[in-house]
């Protein structure tokens, strides 16, 4: 397993030195803001090749985005969930596919926290390493001496084309049969391995988020030692960052960032001095009321995300048991953020009219496709409302509330 990083050995004051410098969450956010123009420049290339360009990945790595959840005792920023959302918002405002990949790739620290400390350091020798993969337990982990023999095919491996580590969810099998837990349900685990150990399939031909490279990948007869497997919710570290839903909390940043960028684009149209439309838009009561309504909806959705996450984070940090509302509201706010963003972008797309259909002339065309595709994620599906409603009525929380 390679322990080299592209940024090792650079001076701490080198703007490309993502690994050498100790970065706070504020430092990383500032670097990302400074790199937004570059993210926009790469967006069309990512769209065309259906994965992030390597140069863009390395610039993001140098910004420190992929170390966001690495622990402080290793020199990481250990960003709160609220800080992570803000970071993903910022990147997604420049390009949604890039924001989605950042959202996925920054989970390395969370996965590392589920491993014994010495194993985590060997698996993640550098802070800026990227992890990708599907957590759904669609693979099989056949128990053998010293570990598991992994077989399976996983979909939606966002960011897998540039990942250093790959993960995947599996059902444990012994002697050809699923192993059941104490409640009679199939026992599941996740594994971590090098990207070269799995086979990627070029399957990602999508409506939107084209640049995420969310391909299928397969493993055949892959041996993974026990120490490189874990169960979400059974971490070796303590704290709010390792609660089972930690992987999901910052997802809202993608739709919120898309909608914010769409609104800013429309404001820009109203400021155009070289066309009659700019002046007309500023005077139009229909334009003003529509933009104000979109701003109101987005602000409310964003507030719901941050307020519910802050409450949950405070309770977990204090090791106070979460109430049903603490469990349900972050998931509901996340669901609402996705659908509100889609409504906002669709409204603005309609507002702009015919010009919005032209690729390259306006970002709205891509933003609409991106937010529509994002809403197909399980975190934005109706089942979230059903599960959250059950919890609010007192049903036990049996698994991660997506």
């Amino acid at each position: 397993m390679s322990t080299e990083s592209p940024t090792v050995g650079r001076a701490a004051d080198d703007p490309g030195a993502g690994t050498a410098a100790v970065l706070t969450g504020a430092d990383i956010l500032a670097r990302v803001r400074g790199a937004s123009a570059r993210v926009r420049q790469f967006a069309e290339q990512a769209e065309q090749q259906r994965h992030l360009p390597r140069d863009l990945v390395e610039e993001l790595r140098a910004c420190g985005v992929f170390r966001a959840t690495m622990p402080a005792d290793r020199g990481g920023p250990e960003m709160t969930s609220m800080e992570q959302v803000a970071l993903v918002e910022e990147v997604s405002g420049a390009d949604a596919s890039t924001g989605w990949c950042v959202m996925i790739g920054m989970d390395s620290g969370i996965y590392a926290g589920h491993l014994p400390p010495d194993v985590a350091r060997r698996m993640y020798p550098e802070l800026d390493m990227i992890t990708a993969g599907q957590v759904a337990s669609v693979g099989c982990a056949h128990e053998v001496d010293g570990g598991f023999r992994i077989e399976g095919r996983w979909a939606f491996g966002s960011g897998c084309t540039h990942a250093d580590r790959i993960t995947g969810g599996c059902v444990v099998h012994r002697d050809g049969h699923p192993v059941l837990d104490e409640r009679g349900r199939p026992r599941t685990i996740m594994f971590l391995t090098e990207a070269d150990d799995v086979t990627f399939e070029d399957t990602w031909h999508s409506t939107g988020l084209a640049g995420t490279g969310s391909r299928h990948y397969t493993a055949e007869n892959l041996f993974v030692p026990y120490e490189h497997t874990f169960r979400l919710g059974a971490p070796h570290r303590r704290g709010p960052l390792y609660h089972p839903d930690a992987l999901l909390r910052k997802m809202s940043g993608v739709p919120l960032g898309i909608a914010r960028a769409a609104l800013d684009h429309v404001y820009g149209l109203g400021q155009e001095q070289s066309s009659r439309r700019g002046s007309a838009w500023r005077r139009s009561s229909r334009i003003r009321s529509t933009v104000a309504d979109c701003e109101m909806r987005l602000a409310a959705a964003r507030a719901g995300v941050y307020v519910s996450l802050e409450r949950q984070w405070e309770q977990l940090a204090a090791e106070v048991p979460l109430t049903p509302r603490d469990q349900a509201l972050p998931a509901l706010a996340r669901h609402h953020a996705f659908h509100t963003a889609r409504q906002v972008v669709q409204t603005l797309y309609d507002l702009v009219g015919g010009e919005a259909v032209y690729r390259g002339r306006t970002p709205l065309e891509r933003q609409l496709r991106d937010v529509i595709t994002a809403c197909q994620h399980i975190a934005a599906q109706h089942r979230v409302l059903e599960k959250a409603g059950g919890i609010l009525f007192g049903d036990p929380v049996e698994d991660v509330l997506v």
Side-chain angles (χ1 to χ4, degrees):
M1 181 180 297
S2 172
T3 61
E4 297 181 356
S5 167
T7 55
V8 170
R10 294 178 180 172
D13 59 354
D14 179 351
T19 301
V22 175
L23 302 175
T24 65
D27 293 332
I28 295 171
L29 186 58
R31 287 187 174 198
V32 164
R33 286 174 176 155
S36 292
R38 289 285 289 164
V39 173
R40 293 187 183 94
Q41 290 172 10
F42 278 112
E44 182 60 28
Q45 184 181 347
E47 176 92 359
Q48 293 301 318
Q49 68 185 32
R50 294 176 292 108
H51 61 82
L52 297 192
R54 176 56 63 175
D55 286 349
L56 174 58
V57 172
E58 296 312 323
E59 289 194 32
L60 293 168
R61 198 192 299 265
C63 286
V65 297
F66 299 117
R67 67 169 63 185
T69 60
M70 285 293 180
D73 61 20
R74 286 199 60 191
E78 203 167 331
M79 295 172 71
T80 68
S81 293
M82 296 76 76
E83 291 174 319
Q84 293 173 49
V85 174
L87 179 60
V88 174
E89 268 191 282
E90 190 69 33
V91 182
S92 299
D95 176 55
S97 288
T98 307
W100 192 274
C101 287
V102 167
M103 181 264 295
I104 296 292
M106 66 166 60
D107 286 334
S108 294
I110 297 175
Y111 293 133
H114 282 73
L115 304 173
D118 58 328
V119 177
R121 286 180 177 272
R122 292 197 300 271
M123 182 61 73
Y124 294 101
E126 301 295 339
L127 297 181
D128 298 301
M129 298 177 72
I130 303 166
T131 306
Q134 170 65 267
V135 300
S137 301
V138 298
C140 293
H142 301 278
E143 197 164 17
V144 296
D145 289 342
F148 299 95
R149 179 171 53 83
I150 305 294
E151 294 181 338
R153 183 173 186 256
W154 296 262
F156 303 115
S158 301
C160 65
T161 58
H162 57 260
D164 302 297
R165 300 289 179 264
I166 295 293
T167 189
C170 296
V171 173
V172 175
H173 284 65
R174 184 181 298 141
D175 299 326
H177 301 286
V179 176
L180 304 183
D181 63 17
E182 61 277 3
R183 288 184 286 181
R185 303 185 308 179
R187 180 183 159 213
T188 61
I189 62 165
M190 295 185 66
F191 69 89
L192 283 165
T193 193
E194 296 186 42
D196 290 343
D197 291 337
V198 301
T199 301
F200 301 109
E201 304 175 32
D202 189 6
T203 54
W204 189 239
H205 300 270
S206 60
T207 302
L209 296 176
T212 60
S214 303
R215 302 177 177 185
H216 286 65
Y217 59 100
T218 59
E220 296 182 9
N221 200 31
L222 171 64
F223 175 75
V224 176
Y226 284 122
E227 63 183 10
H228 291 175
T229 67
F230 59 93
R231 289 189 304 110
L232 285 176
H236 282 261
R237 287 181 175 270
R238 298 178 65 177
L241 202 53
Y242 310 105
H243 191 259
D245 72 341
L247 299 174
L248 300 166
R249 293 183 202 145
K250 76 284 194 194
M251 287 190 70
S252 303
V254 176
L256 293 176
I258 296 172
R260 176 75 267 155
L263 266 165
D264 289 345
H265 173 72
V266 171
Y267 287 138
L269 295 178
Q271 298 300 321
E272 287 182 352
Q273 302 299 320
S274 59
S275 70
R276 287 178 296 177
R277 180 174 62 178
S279 176
W281 272 45
R282 289 195 297 274
R283 294 195 305 267
S284 167
S285 61
R286 182 178 71 90
I287 299 297
R288 290 181 176 187
S289 61
T290 300
V291 169
D293 182 71
C294 289
E295 193 72 65
M296 175 180 64
R297 291 172 182 270
L298 179 58
R302 188 174 187 272
V305 168
Y306 280 92
V307 169
S308 62
L309 285 179
E310 287 170 1
R311 163 70 180 181
Q312 186 189 56
W313 186 274
E314 290 172 357
Q315 297 298 95
L316 290 171
E319 298 187 346
V320 174
L322 297 179
T323 67
R325 285 175 58 83
D326 295 332
Q327 298 272 16
L329 289 185
L332 292 175
R334 186 163 55 244
H335 183 280
H336 184 58
F338 274 94
H339 289 271
T340 298
R342 184 170 67 182
Q343 293 166 2
V344 166
V345 177
Q346 179 72 70
T347 298
L348 297 173
Y349 183 91
D350 293 341
L351 187 69
V352 170
E355 185 178 341
V357 307
Y358 291 103
R359 299 189 65 171
R361 186 180 299 183
T362 168
L364 290 171
E365 180 270 339
R366 179 184 297 162
Q367 288 163 345
L368 181 58
R369 289 188 291 107
D370 286 340
V371 76
I372 287 173
T373 301
C375 282
Q376 299 307 110
H377 191 277
I378 190 172
Q381 297 301 298
H382 187 76
R383 61 173 290 188
V384 174
L385 304 182
E386 296 175 354
K387 292 176 68 176
I391 290 171
L392 292 171
F393 271 114
D395 289 353
V397 181
E398 295 185 349
D399 52 17
V400 176
L401 178 59
V402 296

